[in-house]
């Protein structure tokens, strides 16, 4: 058979390495589309002049564009038969990526855990994005619930990886060139608030909302060469439990990040992803809002230019976030769709 | 508070200067998106080979792409709490902008006029787009009706600026490099009609229509980093008088300009905006048509390569323009959505 | 009259040559949009590093992007008053096109055949795409049914051209630089199957489906500067037999080609179009599927790097292709919308 049926749970082997198709040169064209699809306004990624003044060699790609491109490649091999994307951990953005670079992805199977009913299992992978010279630019773990082809199939070896609760600040320090915070023009960047202005426990409602259309999420998801059928095939999804196309979870992450500019305008770079959960699905016509909480602030060893904020950003659908919708008893406010724990860098 | 609530009328001071976030490097990616969103076919902006043969150093950006990028930056500071965009004047495109250049915007408050009911006021600004070296590339005035936070707030100083009825032809002359009209291949550009073929009073129905989708105007408006909530938030706009998302007025200007190719194919550059009014709102699903009238023709001092046409372009929704829908008694045909008075340059 | 009414059947002259507006520089921005609109994953077009390793000077444009850009220019002169796009033949992609090149189009009228009712006629053209130096990059024939302005108008000369049933393999050989099949990394390209793995008669269901939105096909069709009114004007098309906007046939070709990656991942280049028919129209909301049959395999004279597969790709709407929907008696399965016969190149 020449077409890709995707792997089922019993097809994965603990410790195996999977090189993914298709390598992708990311360009100014991708940057323009990313801007048009999400509306980010962080000055470092928006302006070559601003970025070079600050210490980059030019405006780098939005970190999440890099993430989505690296992620997209893993879909045909890892999650084509996935029922759910369960979580993320140990995400590290290792260096800036610039237009013109070529990215490819490799995943290592770091965990396998069959479900008790033997119909499915959880696959844990560490996926790494590489540039054309083979240098790693991004690494992250994710785990997905994957169907078995044959419930009776035996699983050779199982293990649940021990993943860090958070990326250590020391591991974020090398992700950027040395920058010049005095050259960072806060007025031009859109906010006077720097590292020292944020404190743990602070909550920020990002105020604005963004309604999502089918054409938008499809255009984005194809841009990332993510082939998951549920995002594109209205006919096939008619018979699923949602009855319609499901929006790629990464689309929500990018919308929440772009909305977070309003309150976090100087948090110019994502350096790590500690944890993440797609709490509920998003559909066309829904409006996305977001709020963030500062979980921690951290110095970076050897760097006096930038500091790190550990943020928890919660995105909702069809509910503004002035009241910070969150956990409700043992559950979660039904409007919540994303709960992301990550590190951003911000000038001192 | 770290989020931007936008300025209310009493927050503006006559004569103050506002530097806007976010600087933006415009690229070939933006050009491709602009083409895909509006469908312009002017040869100078479409082809490097055509543009260099004519005298440019390469294909310049569409003038309206420059306008929208410069305009978008002003929104968070000027019009986030605006109720209406009332008018434009003294718009001058000062030189061609090329892919790779970085644009930023500054506005000067040139007028303030409180409404008699003290609930709102009109803010007049002159906004200027600059390149990375600080050279101005575009300047225009606009005035918007802005809410007051507190109706009782006193206004320090008021003034209504005296704006020119039209940009003088002499002020258009320096906007382009010297060009070679003999090298301008009219067949390749799509029309034999040059400067001498147009006369004041001539009316042109641009024939074609373009239906607008939510995804299209949202993608465009985010590309311009224009953050006005009314364009993006279907939930919040449900309670407005329109009950739905409103399309950015600049989207209509760009559609009308692209449609005007059919009849004005050689009017390759917009050099000035004399006046403009968004007569009525446009919504997703509406179809835009346009017609133009030649108001004036002008020589440009010191230039024998190109001449200027002063045009009035009227755009309508859901009504073709064969009958030139226009003023009706004291009012305007209800199909009219835009009335724009501007200068274009055209080879002799 | 300054606007273009389009040519009617009696306006064409056998043997005449028509230079089309508007020349177009294709860029990385167009490439990104093409990826975002169709989701192709062929490694050669996706990655500069992969393409240069294989023998290209960088990643070339998708062949169909070149086709659509060349085609789009012909619309205002050839098919503005067309009732149907009847067929294609003798399509040859003559060399790779790279970002930064400028394309223009010229058509020769090679056939004219008035309909028996004298209301319409078939116009046959050979359209050629040229680079800025005047070198041909693409050539193809198509024929369209065009309205007459005046049924009584006499036609000076008529002729039906004798078009080849298929492009000869020898005519495909010069279309690419010499490549290094040993440097072609099949794992990175997404499939182990090379030239020798395909045999005439083999059928492949491409499995995946793609639902099309109005915004998507409009954005694509404008990107190609194709001005056919039926794709854009919801109001005018309300009174047509379909009652709505019709999707550009080329959009279906590009979707089918992108879907065909699943089963034909190494068929990296389209070298010729033998025949093609838009069997039925596609509308927004429809889901496109595709299957292919290998009609022939061919060596290319003087080349040991790549071979050619002659494919027939059938696209359907709202019907998956596991059962290979095809001819039914004298007719065709009503789900079929495209039947395309073409040559692709694939590494040995």
């Amino acid at each position: 058979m020449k077409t890709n049926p995707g792997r089922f749970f019993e097809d994965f082997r603990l410790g195996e390495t999977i090189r993914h198709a298709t390598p992708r040169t990311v360009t100014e064209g991708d940057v323009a589309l990313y801007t048009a699809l999400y509306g980010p306004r962080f000055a470092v990624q928006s302006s070559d002049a601003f970025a070079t003044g600050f210490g980059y060699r030019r405006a780098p790609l939005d970190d999440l564009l890099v993430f989505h491109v690296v992620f997209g490649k893993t879909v045909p091999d890892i999650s084509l038969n996935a029922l759910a994307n369960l979580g993320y951990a140990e995400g590290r953005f290792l260096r800036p990526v610039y237009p013109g670079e070529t990215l490819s992805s490799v995943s290592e199977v770091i965990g396998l855990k069959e479900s008790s009913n033997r119909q499915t299992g959880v696959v844990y992978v560490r996926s790494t994005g590489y540039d054309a010279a083979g240098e790693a630019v991004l690494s992250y773990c994710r785990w997905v619930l994957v169907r078995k082809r044959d419930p009776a199939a035996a699983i050779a070896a199982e293990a649940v990886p021990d993943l860090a609760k958070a990326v250590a600040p020391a591991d974020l320090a090398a992700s950027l060139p040395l920058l010049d915070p005095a050259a960072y023009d806060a007025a031009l960047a859109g906010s006077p608030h720097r590292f020292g202005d944020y404190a743990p426990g602070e909550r920020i409602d990002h105020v604005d909302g963004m309604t999502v259309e089918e054409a938008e999420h499809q255009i984005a998801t194809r841009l990332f060469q993510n082939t998951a059928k549920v995002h594109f095939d209205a006919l096939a999804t008619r018979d699923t439990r949602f009855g319609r196309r499901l929006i790629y979870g990464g689309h929500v992450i990018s919308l929440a990040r772009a909305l977070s500019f309003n309150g976090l305008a100087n948090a110019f770079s994502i350096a790590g992803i500690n944890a993440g959960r797609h709490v509920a699905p998003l559909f066309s016509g829904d409006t996305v809002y977001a709020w963030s909480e500062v979980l921690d602030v951290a110095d970076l060893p050897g760097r006096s230019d930038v500091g790190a904020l550990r943020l928890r950003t919660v995105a909702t659908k069809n509910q503004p976030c002035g009241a910070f919708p969150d956990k409700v008893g043992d559950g979660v406010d039904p409007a919540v769709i994303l709960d992301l724990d990550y590190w951003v860098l911000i000038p001192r």
Side-chain angles (χ1 to χ4, degrees), chain A residues 3 15 22 36 48 73 75 82 98 114 119 144 154 177 220 262 268 274-275 298:
Chain A
T3 53
T22 300
D48 282 338
K73 296 180 193 330
V75 169
Y98 297 98
E114 193 177 17
Q119 303 288 318
V144 290
N262 198 354
F268 66 95
N274 302 312

Side-chain angles (χ1 to χ4, degrees), chain A residues 94-335:
Chain A
L94 302 167
R95 70 159 178 84
V97 177
Y98 297 98
E101 295 202 76
T102 297
L103 301 177
S104 59
S105 304
V106 172
S107 296
E108 184 189 358
V109 179
I110 58 169
L112 291 173
K113 177 69 189 164
E114 193 177 17
S115 308
S116 54
N117 66 10
R118 305 199 59 193
Q119 303 288 318
T120 59
V122 178
V123 178
Y124 298 78
V125 292
R126 182 183 308 276
S127 297
T128 306
Y130 292 97
D131 67 16
E135 184 194 353
V137 300
L138 166 66
S139 173
Y140 66 93
C141 299
R142 74 163 167 141
W143 48 107
V144 290
L145 183 69
V146 177
R147 262 187 291 260
K148 287 181 76 179
R149 186 189 295 105
D150 172 10
I155 305 307
E158 295 186 75
V160 173
D162 187 24
L163 298 173
K165 288 263 182 295
V167 179
D171 287 336
L172 310 173
S175 69
L176 297 185
L178 281 180
L179 301 169
D180 179 3
Y184 186 93
D185 183 333
L188 211 49
S191 161
H193 305 294
R194 292 177 179 243
F195 178 65
D197 298 318
Y198 292 87
E202 181 173 359
R203 289 174 157 204
I204 302 166
D205 168 22
H206 300 306
V207 180
D208 307 301
M210 191 70 76
T211 305
V212 181
E213 302 295 321
E214 297 283 15
E216 293 170 345
H217 77 83
Q218 293 196 149
I219 286 172
T221 310
R222 281 186 299 248
L223 184 72
F224 311 140
Q225 295 176 313
N226 178 330
T227 60
K229 191 177 300 214
V230 291
H231 308 317
F232 299 113
D233 186 332
L235 190 67
T237 53
R238 203 184 289 165
D239 301 324
T240 62
R241 75 187 152 122
F242 300 122
R244 53 192 301 201
R245 281 166 281 177
L246 184 64
I247 293 174
Y248 165 47
H251 201 74
V252 178
I253 298 178
S254 281
L255 285 172
R257 167 72 174 158
L259 292 171
S260 80
F261 179 88
N262 198 354
L264 289 160
N266 293 328
F268 66 95
S269 178
I270 297 181
I273 294 177
N274 302 312
R277 206 157 64 87
H278 298 291
V279 180
L282 181 74
F283 303 103
S284 169
D286 288 339
T287 302
V288 175
Y289 300 87
W291 64 272
S292 295
E293 178 177 1
V294 181
L295 297 179
D296 199 1
V297 300
D299 296 330
L300 297 185
R303 298 195 71 131
S304 57
D305 52 350
V306 299
L309 304 181
R310 184 174 172 184
L311 300 175
R312 178 179 166 234
T313 292
V314 173
T316 61
K317 62 180 177 189
N318 307 324
Q319 186 177 307
C321 290
F324 305 106
D326 201 354
K327 285 154 190 145
V328 177
D330 288 343
V332 176
D333 185 302

